[in-house]
Amino acid sequence: IGDKKGIAASLNNIGLIYWRQGDYAKAIDYYTQSLKINEEIGDKTGIAKSLSNIGNIYSDQGDYAKAIDYYSRSLKINEEIGDKRGIAASLNNIGGIYYSQGDYVKAIDYYSRSLKIKEEIGDKYGIALVLNNIGLIYAAQDDYAKAIDYYTKSLKIKQEIEDKEGIAMSLNNIGIIYSDQGDLAKAIDYFTKSLKIRMEIGDKSGIALSLNNIGNIYKEQGDLAKAYKKCKESLSIAQEIGNVLNIKNASRNLWEINKKLGKHSQALEM
């Protein structure tokens, strides 16, 4: 059993690497192999982790029904075995799906339940994550002051624990607030800092997002040549990894840029 447990953990870790690289097909393959072994040996913690990771893939691909299904199954097992860290992670993941669907009331409910547990167990990484997610909800509701407050709290913890991926995410989110408020100089500053970290750690999905955000600012400033270049780079990375949301956002930006440049035929193709 010990051996099998180790194999399942290794398969899961390989899946994680593919997920980070945006190779969803390979990631799902490894996660599913890991899940199968965990089920064979009755390792409930391992099963919950595999289910959650598969849920992450469906979430990234915008298949929210499947994502909720996997996250809920993971939550159920975590509750059965009393794994507080796992319960908090599942609640946060489900909150994220409701956020993506625009159901902010449900999202805040799940995030708050998750935050409470993460604070109880002193999970700094998790606390930072949920604070960021609550910030996203306030941002979506145009409550910029509260959003910046949550993002900044989250960033502070991420810097304490040296979570580079998290730092990049917080910097990006603060940049979005400045962009929404029309402070384009500050926005580009935060987006660029975020991009630099994402390139250091090889976070392709994040790189695509940052490039598109920078392109968006150039578009707002009327520097259409620079805007086109950044959004085109973003689209090509997003297509390479199959990240649906980034493909959609970059395509929309390119369509608008082409329209402004008077390239109507190209705009129609987007």
Side-chain angles (χ1 to χ4, degrees):
I1 281 187
D3 228 346
K4 281 199 169 178
K5 197 171 180 172
I7 293 166
S10 296
L11 289 167
N12 181 67
N13 290 339
I14 296 167
L16 207 56
I17 291 165
Y18 282 121
W19 175 59
R20 284 238 166 84
Q21 292 175 338
D23 191 337
Y24 299 139
K26 273 194 182 150
I28 276 231
D29 181 34
Y30 278 93
Y31 287 154
T32 308
Q33 287 180 54
S34 175
L35 176 63
K36 205 163 161 265
I37 295 170
N38 283 322
E39 283 173 338
E40 272 171 29
I41 61 175
D43 178 0
K44 287 200 169 182
T45 304
I47 294 168
K49 197 180 275 183
S50 296
L51 290 169
S52 180
N53 287 342
I54 294 169
N56 287 339
I57 305 254
Y58 287 123
S59 170
D60 279 357
Q61 292 180 318
D63 191 338
Y64 299 136
K66 269 192 182 159
I68 281 249
D69 177 43
Y70 277 89
Y71 288 152
S72 301
R73 281 159 66 188
S74 180
L75 175 62
K76 195 165 171 277
I77 294 168
N78 283 320
E79 284 173 339
E80 273 171 26
I81 60 178
D83 178 355
K84 283 196 169 184
R85 192 177 284 265
I87 294 167
S90 297
L91 290 168
N92 177 64
N93 288 339
I94 294 168
I97 299 294
Y98 285 123
Y99 162 74
S100 297
Q101 293 178 317
D103 190 339
Y104 301 136
V105 177
K106 268 192 183 159
I108 279 262
D109 175 44
Y110 276 89
Y111 285 154
S112 303
R113 282 159 64 190
S114 176
L115 183 61
K116 196 166 170 277
I117 297 169
K118 285 176 190 289
E119 283 172 341
E120 272 170 28
I121 60 177
D123 172 12
K124 281 198 169 184
Y125 176 87
I127 292 166
L129 186 71
V130 183
L131 287 170
N132 177 72
N133 290 345
I134 294 172
L136 284 171
I137 291 180
Y138 286 120
Q141 295 174 319
D142 296 336
D143 190 339
Y144 298 135
K146 267 193 182 159
I148 283 253
D149 180 39
Y150 275 91
Y151 289 156
T152 308
K153 280 179 186 162
S154 177
L155 177 61
K156 205 164 162 273
I157 296 170
K158 284 165 179 172
Q159 284 167 333
E160 270 171 34
I161 60 175
E162 295 177 0
D163 167 19
K164 283 199 169 183
E165 201 173 334
I167 292 167
M169 187 194 279
S170 291
L171 291 169
N172 180 72
N173 289 344
I174 293 169
I176 290 170
I177 299 287
Y178 284 124
S179 166
D180 287 347
Q181 291 181 314
D183 191 339
L184 303 184
K186 263 192 183 162
I188 220 158
D189 180 39
Y190 276 90
F191 288 150
T192 307
K193 282 178 185 164
S194 176
L195 176 63
K196 194 167 171 277
I197 295 169
R198 284 170 164 169
M199 287 173 91
E200 274 169 27
I201 61 177
D203 171 11
K204 283 194 176 179
S205 181
I207 292 166
L209 187 71
S210 291
L211 285 168
N212 186 57
N213 287 342
I214 292 169
N216 204 22
I217 300 287
Y218 285 131
K219 184 187 74 185
E220 295 297 314
Q221 291 176 325
D223 192 339
L224 299 180
K226 270 189 185 167
Y228 186 84
K229 187 171 174 286
K230 296 291 179 192
C231 293
K232 196 79 181 156
E233 279 175 41
S234 172
L235 179 63
S236 114
I237 294 167
Q239 283 172 332
E240 181 196 321
I241 64 176
N243 189 304
V244 181
L245 192 64
N246 282 338
I247 291 170
K248 215 162 71 178
N249 290 339
S251 297
R252 190 172 57 233
N253 263 338
L254 284 166
W255 183 82
E256 286 174 10
I257 293 161
N258 277 325
K259 213 171 142 192
K260 284 186 177 181
L261 287 166
K263 296 179 182 174
H264 286 292
S265 60
Q266 251 180 295
L268 289 171
E269 279 167 28
M270 292 313 302

